[in-house]
């Protein structure tokens, strides 16, 4: 699907990327797919962030996750 998108937008090769999130129970990772060489796809995965149910630790454990999501959003021109 990503290769088809690259073929459709030839003038945007090297600029297109897709990002998604993998949610596994109480943990989440960010995936970014791009094409640095126009003929290959690269997938980059962030570290796994664990979300715990302890309300005392909830705030300081979520802050790194939100920072990661915000950096993904900004790096893709949406922030």
């Amino acid at each position: 699907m990503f290769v088809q998108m690259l073929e459709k937008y030839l003038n945007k090769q090297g600029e297109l990327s897709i990002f998604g999130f993998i949610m596994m129970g109480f943990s989440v990772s960010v995936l970014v797919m791009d094409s640095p060489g126009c003929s290959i796809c690269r997938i980059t995965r962030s570290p796994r962030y664990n979300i715990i149910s302890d309300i005392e630790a909830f705030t300081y454990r979520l802050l790194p996750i939100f920072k990661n999501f915000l950096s993904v959003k900004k790096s893709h021109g949406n922030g």
Side-chain angles (χ1 to χ4, degrees):
M1 187 179 247
F2 187 67
V3 174
Q4 292 170 339
M5 189 170 69
L6 289 173
E7 290 171 353
K8 184 174 180 177
Y9 300 101
L10 292 173
N11 60 335
K12 297 287 186 181
Q13 288 186 354
E15 298 176 27
L16 295 176
S17 56
I18 296 174
F19 68 95
F21 303 97
I22 296 178
M23 300 175 85
M24 303 155 284
F26 287 106
S27 63
V28 64
S29 291
V30 178
L31 294 175
V32 179
M33 179 185 285
D34 63 357
S35 181
C38 298
S39 63
I40 59 169
C41 293
R42 172 178 61 186
I43 297 176
T44 307
R45 182 177 178 170
S46 75
R48 179 186 281 186
Y49 294 100
N50 292 317
I51 302 171
I52 57 174
S53 58
D54 178 18
I55 197 66
E56 297 289 325
F58 190 74
T59 303
Y60 76 84
R61 293 296 299 257
L62 274 183
L63 188 58
I65 296 170
F66 289 145
K67 284 183 179 180
N68 191 20
F69 291 168
L70 185 60
S71 69
V72 168
K73 186 177 177 182
K74 285 184 177 182
S75 70
H76 291 81
N78 295 327

